[in-house]
C-alpha cells in the first residue's frame, strides 16, 4: 500500500548522486510506490501544537545529470504523513536539537526515522560512552589539568570537538607535539562544549570501518583507509573505501549495542570501528549505503525500508 514519505534533508540539488544515502532511501521508497515530499530543516514549523513543513513533492532518479524533479511548493501537515526521514547532515547543534523537539510532536503516529527523542539523546561521541568495554581510553572535559594528565599517561592522543562531524577539527597530537595548549585555546574560542580526547589507535592506518546496523542488526561494512599524511579516514578528506568482512570483535560490538538501538527506535545507524574499538555511533544522518552495495552486491536501502514498513 502506498505511503506518504516526507524527507527532511539538505538541498537535494547539492548531493553527490554517486555517494548519497538519502537518495538511495528515496529511490527505494519510490520503487515501493510511496509518495515523496522534500523539505529543508528551515521549512519546519510548529504552530499551536501542529507540525507543518514548507516544501515540494519529489520524484527521484539515479542520474548524475538529472536526479530529481520538484513539484509546486506547498505546506504539508506532517501529521498526515506516514513516515518522516530525518536526514539533514550535522552539525548536531541547537538547530538540530530543536528539529527533534518539533518532530517529537508527531512521532510515533507519524513514524520519524530515526526516533527524534533518541537522536537527541544520542550524540555520536557521547552515546558510545554508555556501552562498557567498546571504546578506547577516552576523556571528555574542559579541565586543562585533566587533559594534560591524560596526555602524560597515553602520550599519543586524538583531540576533537565533541559535536563535530565528518572529521572536521580532528587533531592527532603526537608525544613531541608542542601545539596542544594552543589547540585547546583555539577550541575554547570556537566551542563552549567540552572536548573529547582519546588514546590514538595506530590501527587506523589499516582503516576506520563504517558498519551499518538496521534495527540493531549489522548488515555490512566498508573499510576507510586514510590517505598518506592524513590522520582521518573520512572519504571526503581523501580516505579510500575498501571491501571488508566483519571480524568476530566487530560482530561482538554490534551484538552489545544492537538491542539498545532497536529498543530506542534507531533504525538506521552507522558505527565507526578502529581495530578492536568503537569510536562513534552515528544516528543523525548515517552514510555508506552506496559503497557497501557496490562491494557486497547488497541493497541496504531495501533492508531499511523493510524495517520501516514492519514498524508501520
Amino acid at each position: 500500500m502506498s505511503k506518504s514519505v516526507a524527507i527532511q534533508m539538505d538541498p537535494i540539488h547539492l548531493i553527490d548522486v554517486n555517494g548519497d544515502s538519502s537518495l538511495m532511501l528515496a529511490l527505494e521508497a519510490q520503487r515501493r510506490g510511496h509518495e515523496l515530499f522534500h523539505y529543508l530543516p528551515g521549512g519546519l514549523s510548529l504552530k499551536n501544537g501542529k507540525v507543518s513543513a514548507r516544501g515540494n513533492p519529489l520524484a527521484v532518479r539515479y542520474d548524475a545529470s538529472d536526479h530529481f524533479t520538484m513539484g509546486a511548493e506547498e505546506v504539508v501537515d506532517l501529521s498526515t504523513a506516514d513516515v518522516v526521514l530525518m536526514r539533514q547532515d550535522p552539525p548536531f547543534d541547537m538547530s538540530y536539537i530543536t528539529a527533534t523537539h518539533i518532530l517529537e510532536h508527531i512521532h510515533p503516529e507519524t513514524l520519524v526515522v530515526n526516533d527524534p527523542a533518541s537522536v537527541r539523546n544520542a550524540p555520536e561521541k557521547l552515546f558510545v560512552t554508555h556501552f562498557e568495554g567498546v571504546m578506547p581510553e577516552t576523556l571528555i572535559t574542559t579541565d586543562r589539568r585533566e587533559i594534560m594528565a591524560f596526555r602524560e599517561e597515553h602520550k599519543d592522543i586524538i583531540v576533537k570537538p565533541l559535536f563535530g562531524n565528518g572529521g572536521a577539527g580532528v587533531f592527532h597530537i603526537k608525544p613531541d607535539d608542542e601545539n596542544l595548549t594552543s589547540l585547546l585555546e583555539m577550541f575554547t574560542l570556537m566551542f563552549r562544549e567540552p572536548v573529547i580526547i582519546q588514546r590514538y589507535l595506530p590501527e587506523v592506518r589499516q582503516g576506520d570501518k563504517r558498519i551499518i546496523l538496521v534495527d540493531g542488526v549489522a548488515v555490512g561494512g566498508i573499510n576507510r583507509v586514510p590517505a598518506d599524511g592524513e590522520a582521518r579516514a573520512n572519504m571526503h578528506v581523501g580516505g579510500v573505501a575498501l571491501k571488508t568482512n566483519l571480524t568476530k570483535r566487530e560482530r561482538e560490538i554490534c551484538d552489545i549495542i544492537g538491542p539498545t538501538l532497536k529498543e530506542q527506535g534507531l533504525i538506521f545507524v552507522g558505527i565507526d570501528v578502529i581495530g578492536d574499538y568503537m569510536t562513534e555511533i552515528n544516528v543523525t544522518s548515517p552514510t555508506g549505503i552506496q559503497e557497501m552495495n557496490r562491494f557486497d552486491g547488497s541493497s541496504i536501502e531495501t533492508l531499511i525500508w523493510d524495517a520501516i514498513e514492519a514498524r508501520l
Side-chain angles (χ1 to χ4, degrees):
M1 181 182 296
S2 176
K3 303 292 183 183
S4 57
V5 178
I7 309 176
Q8 177 175 306
M9 62 182 288
D10 301 310
I12 193 168
H13 69 278
L14 296 177
I15 67 171
D16 174 10
V17 170
N18 295 314
D20 192 81
S21 292
S22 298
L23 176 62
M24 301 308 292
L25 292 173
L27 285 165
E28 177 61 17
Q30 184 175 268
R31 189 188 69 78
R32 295 177 182 228
H34 303 330
E35 297 178 353
L36 303 179
F37 179 78
H38 171 276
Y39 69 95
L40 304 178
L44 189 65
S45 296
L46 175 64
K47 181 180 180 181
N48 300 326
K50 299 294 184 181
V51 179
S52 64
R54 183 181 301 277
N56 308 79
L58 174 70
V60 288
R61 297 169 292 279
Y62 198 82
D63 181 340
S65 63
D66 180 28
H67 63 278
F68 73 96
T69 301
M70 292 279 199
E73 182 180 89
E74 57 184 282
V75 176
V76 168
D77 178 353
L78 288 185
S79 70
T80 65
D82 295 294
V83 179
V84 171
L85 299 179
M86 190 177 184
R87 290 291 305 170
Q88 81 265 30
D89 290 337
F92 189 77
D93 54 13
M94 289 308 299
S95 175
Y96 215 114
I97 290 171
T98 300
T100 67
H101 281 291
I102 292 175
L103 291 175
E104 207 174 352
H105 282 267
I106 59 172
H107 181 80
E109 288 77 14
T110 292
L111 180 64
V112 181
V113 180
N114 289 316
D115 182 306
S118 294
V119 167
R120 185 170 65 248
N121 291 331
E124 273 84 347
K125 298 175 184 67
L126 283 171
F127 188 30
V128 66
T129 64
H130 289 274
F131 301 94
E132 292 187 9
V134 298
M135 291 187 75
E137 292 85 344
T138 299
L139 171 67
I140 299 173
T141 188
T142 57
D143 188 322
R144 295 284 182 90
R145 288 170 295 183
E146 289 290 336
I147 294 171
M148 295 306 175
F150 187 91
R151 185 193 191 184
E152 179 64 25
E153 179 182 359
H154 297 292
K155 311 301 182 187
D156 210 0
I157 60 174
I158 292 289
V159 181
K160 49 190 173 182
L162 189 56
F163 296 110
N165 68 288
V170 176
F171 290 85
H172 177 198
I173 302 295
K174 297 180 180 180
D176 59 349
D177 197 313
E178 299 177 344
N179 293 303
L180 178 57
T181 300
S182 294
L183 176 61
L184 294 175
E185 290 171 356
M186 183 184 70
F187 272 31
T188 299
L189 292 173
M190 295 177 63
F191 310 108
R192 296 181 61 188
E193 302 85 9
V195 294
I196 181 167
I197 320 288
Q198 291 181 322
R199 176 173 66 83
Y200 175 70
L201 299 172
E203 297 91 339
V204 73
R205 303 312 310 173
Q206 282 72 56
D208 178 350
K209 284 193 183 180
R210 164 56 58 88
I211 300 171
I212 287 181
L213 295 93
V214 176
D215 226 8
V217 177
V219 296
I222 53 170
N223 194 29
R224 302 169 299 178
V225 178
D228 290 342
E230 175 62 68
R232 303 166 296 174
N234 307 75
M235 285 181 285
H236 72 276
V237 294
V240 177
L242 301 175
K243 180 179 175 60
T244 189
N245 295 313
L246 301 190
T247 67
K248 179 180 178 181
R249 171 58 175 166
E250 289 160 355
R251 292 192 178 279
E252 180 182 62
I253 290 172
C254 293
D255 289 343
I256 290 170
I257 68 173
T260 299
L261 301 182
K262 183 178 179 68
E263 178 185 347
Q264 295 189 9
L266 297 167
I267 293 175
F268 179 16
V269 171
I271 68 171
D272 296 337
V273 178
I274 300 173
D276 289 336
Y277 297 100
M278 177 170 59
T279 58
E280 295 186 14
I281 302 177
N282 300 275
V283 305
T284 47
S285 184
T287 60
I289 287 179
Q290 293 207 45
E291 292 81 3
M292 292 181 204
N293 286 353
R294 291 186 190 113
F295 285 129
D296 299 338
S298 55
S299 178
I300 289 176
E301 66 275 13
T302 299
L303 301 177
I304 294 169
W305 269 105
D306 286 347
I308 291 171
E309 291 183 348
R311 294 204 176 215
L312 294 176

